[in-house]
Amino acid sequence: MMDIEPLMGIIQGKPILHGATHTLAGALLIGLAAALVGKPVSTWVLRLMATAHTALTWRASFAGALLGTVSHVVLDAAMHSDINPWRPIADGNGLLGIVPIGSLHILCVGLGCVGAVVIAMRAWHDGKA
C-alpha cells in the first residue's frame, strides 16, 4: 500500500514520487487501513488454502502494519531526497544519508536472511513436534 503513490508517479512521469504516503502521518493512516483490511483478508486466505497457522490477532495485525509502514518511511527517508517524513509539522528530511545506501541495502538483506533462518527453524521445529 505504501508504494502505490510512487508507482503512480513513475507511470505518470512526475518529478516527485514520494508525497503524503511517505510521511509519518500518512504511514500511520496506511498502517491503520492495512491492519483493518489485512487481518480478515489474511485469515480468509489462510483458511482457503487450508494452511495450518496460529490465529492472527488484532494486536498482531496492528503491530505488524504500523511497524511496517513507519519503518518503510524511515528507511525510504534515509535514501530518497523527495521525502519529508515530518510533513505537515516540518519540512525537510533530516534522515537523508544518515546511513550510506550500500550499508542500508546490506542491512536489509542481512535482516531478511535472519528472518528466513528463523522461519526455517520454526518450520523444522513444528514439523518435529
Side-chain angles (χ1 to χ4, degrees), residues 110-124:
L111 290 173
C113 291
V114 169
V117 168
V118 169
I119 289 170
M121 289 174 63
R122 287 185 70 179
W124 177 77

Side-chain angles (χ1 to χ4, degrees), residues 66-120:
L66 292 171
L67 181 63
T69 55
V70 170
S71 65
H72 183 109
V73 170
V74 170
L75 291 170
D76 270 8
M79 63 191 299
H80 296 291
S81 62
D82 63 345
I83 293 180
N84 289 291
W86 297 107
R87 187 176 280 156
I89 297 168
D91 279 332
N93 181 358
L95 298 173
L96 183 61
I98 197 166
V99 176
I101 292 176
S103 298
L104 189 61
H105 288 161
I106 291 169
L107 175 68
C108 289
V109 169
L111 290 173
C113 291
V114 169
V117 168
V118 169
I119 289 170

Side-chain angles (χ1 to χ4, degrees), residues 2-122:
M2 292 292 300
D3 282 335
I4 293 173
E5 179 188 39
L7 174 63
M8 295 306 296
I10 290 168
I11 292 169
Q12 296 170 354
K14 292 186 177 180
I16 294 179
L17 303 178
H18 301 94
T21 63
H22 283 73
T23 64
L24 292 175
L28 292 174
L29 290 174
I30 291 170
L32 291 174
L36 290 170
V37 172
K39 181 187 181 310
V41 169
S42 297
T43 301
W44 177 74
V45 169
L46 289 167
R47 190 177 310 127
L48 184 71
M49 295 176 61
T51 301
H53 64 282
T54 303
L56 178 61
T57 65
W58 282 109
R59 177 186 239 173
S61 181
F62 278 94
L66 292 171
L67 181 63
T69 55
V70 170
S71 65
H72 183 109
V73 170
V74 170
L75 291 170
D76 270 8
M79 63 191 299
H80 296 291
S81 62
D82 63 345
I83 293 180
N84 289 291
W86 297 107
R87 187 176 280 156
I89 297 168
D91 279 332
N93 181 358
L95 298 173
L96 183 61
I98 197 166
V99 176
I101 292 176
S103 298
L104 189 61
H105 288 161
I106 291 169
L107 175 68
C108 289
V109 169
L111 290 173
C113 291
V114 169
V117 168
V118 169
I119 289 170
M121 289 174 63
R122 287 185 70 179

